[in-house]
Amino acid sequence: MTMMKWRIDRRRALGLIGGAALVPVPGARVNAQVLDKVSFQTNWRAQAEHGGYYQAVAAGIYRRYGIDCDLRMGGPQQNPGQLLVAGRVDMIMSGGFSALNYVREGLPFLCIAAIMQKDPQILMTHEGNGINSFEDMRGRPILVGAVGRVTYWPFLRTKFGFTDDQIRPYTFNLAPFLQDRMAIQQGFLSSEPYAARQAGANPKVFLIADAGFENYQTTIDVSRRMITEKRDLVQRFVNATIEGWSQYMRRQDIEAANRLIMRDNPEMTQDKIDYAIDAMNRHGIVLSGDAERLGIGAMTDERWERFYTTMANAGVYPQGMPFRNAYTLEFVNKRVGL
């Protein structure tokens, strides 16, 4: 693997505030002293949905960009947002709601890239039971988790006329779904359908994003202070991450990344990983829409405005909130990874 060293470009440095521009020195070897350390917190246990980050580690992409990435696995007992706010981690994996929440709460954090163009949140039921659309779900019991009640549920309530009395608690246990052919429950595109199939069911999947739910998912969130003080490092991290995702979604030598995923999360298997990659590619979770012309991680002002307006009209956010403070387009839309 060809390594790369970084040097200061004096002409670029003259135009920087609070830092110097770094440019690669081809052929120079990297040693531990020249790598910038960045800690990145994921939002759950290691899985294919985090694959691009693991690929950037395993394939040496972060190191090639002069970064020593401390990739930290999340889990049920961790709250990435709290870790970011407390300064215990440099960057986190999150979603569009978190970015808007920063604005609502007046916190100095924001979203700088959106790896997933489609939120993988789904509702699923059983094939052949007569439920063939979101409209067919009106008035029927639906198993919904606590987070879903304040994120996608208000969207479904506004667009399709769902009512809160349809909600039943979802405890991340598939047994109620498997026992009732008319059951409807939440899930993630690459997770619950796989488990249901393994248990002998034939799930019918409805991707909420395809109904107009434009939440960005698997975002990169960071403090405004880090952007001000380490803008070049932030850009290098975003570019390296996007390259990792480009390789991972195209299955370009990702065996080492998958081994890291299974090392960090012993419950993960190669079958689960393969299923998840296939599902994400089939439904355009990462590579679709704006990402096809602007590169992985793409975001636009227009989409952020539509999403904020939709959720404000659904009562999730106040009208007139300065939603543009939730994100910056500075680090994306550069066609990296295409």
Side-chain angles (χ1 to χ4, degrees):
M1 177 175 60
T2 300
M3 306 302 288
M4 190 168 291
K5 189 174 181 179
W6 298 84
R7 65 175 172 81
I8 295 176
D9 184 318
R10 295 182 182 275
R11 287 175 296 177
R12 294 185 190 179
L14 291 174
L16 276 177
I17 299 175
L22 297 179
V23 295
V25 180
R29 294 189 60 81
V30 170
N31 55 60
Q33 287 71 33
V34 302
L35 296 178
D36 292 309
K37 292 185 178 295
V38 175
S39 54
F40 183 81
Q41 178 72 52
T42 71
N43 60 359
W44 198 245
R45 298 186 181 100
Q47 52 192 284
E49 292 87 340
H50 306 167
Y53 302 103
Y54 279 90
Q55 177 67 8
V57 171
I61 300 172
Y62 285 130
R63 294 183 65 85
R64 176 158 51 83
Y65 276 83
I67 296 170
D68 177 9
C69 180
D70 176 13
L71 186 59
R72 303 178 184 178
M73 184 177 71
Q77 306 304 318
Q78 292 180 327
N79 184 319
Q82 290 180 355
L83 295 174
L84 181 65
V85 171
R88 295 173 58 188
V89 65
D90 294 321
M91 303 181 186
I92 65 168
M93 178 191 305
S94 194
F97 283 99
S98 292
L100 292 173
N101 291 344
Y102 301 144
V103 179
R104 184 176 59 189
E105 302 300 325
L107 298 173
F109 303 89
L110 74 168
C111 171
I112 59 173
I115 301 302
M116 291 187 176
Q117 295 297 296
K118 292 184 179 182
D119 191 320
Q121 187 70 56
I122 63 164
L123 294 181
M124 72 178 189
T125 186
H126 294 267
E127 287 281 6
N129 65 3
I131 301 173
N132 299 310
S133 66
F134 286 104
E135 289 83 356
D136 291 339
M137 298 179 190
R138 278 197 294 262
R140 298 179 180 273
I142 302 177
L143 298 166
V144 179
V147 174
R149 299 183 191 195
V150 296
T151 53
Y152 66 83
W153 185 261
F155 165 81
L156 294 173
R157 188 173 55 204
T158 300
K159 181 160 187 176
F160 296 108
F162 287 16
T163 57
D164 289 347
D165 59 7
Q166 292 178 247
I167 295 176
R168 303 292 185 272
Y170 177 52
T171 61
F172 299 90
N173 180 356
L174 274 180
F177 178 83
L178 297 173
Q179 294 167 5
D180 181 2
R181 278 189 50 77
M182 299 305 295
I184 307 169
Q185 74 154 64
Q186 74 166 48
F188 264 62
L189 177 69
S190 49
S191 181
E192 277 83 353
Y194 174 86
R197 291 184 186 280
Q198 292 296 106
N202 188 15
K204 186 177 183 67
V205 171
F206 300 85
L207 186 64
I208 301 176
D210 286 345
F213 183 59
E214 293 193 286
N215 180 38
Y216 285 123
Q217 194 54 273
T218 309
T219 59
I220 300 174
D221 292 3
V222 65
S223 70
R224 292 185 179 277
R225 178 178 179 178
M226 186 169 187
I227 288 177
T228 299
E229 297 180 353
K230 301 180 180 180
R231 179 170 271 103
D232 175 75
L233 174 57
V234 171
Q235 184 68 75
R236 283 186 277 132
F237 182 86
V238 171
N239 288 356
T241 297
I242 291 172
E243 285 194 24
W245 274 102
S246 178
Q247 292 182 12
Y248 194 78
M249 297 310 298
R250 294 178 171 93
R251 289 187 166 94
Q252 295 177 352
D253 299 320
I254 63 173
E255 293 80 9
N258 289 338
R259 286 195 296 270
L260 287 180
I261 290 173
M262 290 184 282
R263 181 203 66 186
D264 284 357
N265 180 9
E267 295 181 0
M268 188 53 55
T269 66
Q270 188 63 53
D271 284 346
K272 288 181 183 179
I273 289 173
D274 291 340
Y275 181 93
I277 296 174
D278 287 342
M280 288 190 288
N281 279 328
R282 186 167 62 253
H283 291 271
I285 299 300
V286 175
L287 288 164
S288 66
D290 295 322
E292 293 180 321
R293 62 186 180 86
L294 299 175
I296 293 173
M299 303 187 297
T300 66
D301 291 322
E302 294 78 13
R303 176 162 166 177
W304 271 106
E305 182 172 8
R306 289 195 306 269
F307 178 62
Y308 162 71
T309 300
T310 296
M311 301 316 299
N313 290 340
V316 177
Y317 295 106
Q319 298 289 342
M321 191 177 80
F323 70 91
R324 291 188 189 277
N325 293 340
Y327 66 94
T328 177
L329 306 182
E330 176 182 353
F331 302 101
V332 292
N333 303 345
K334 303 178 189 300
R335 298 181 58 82
V336 176
L338 289 182

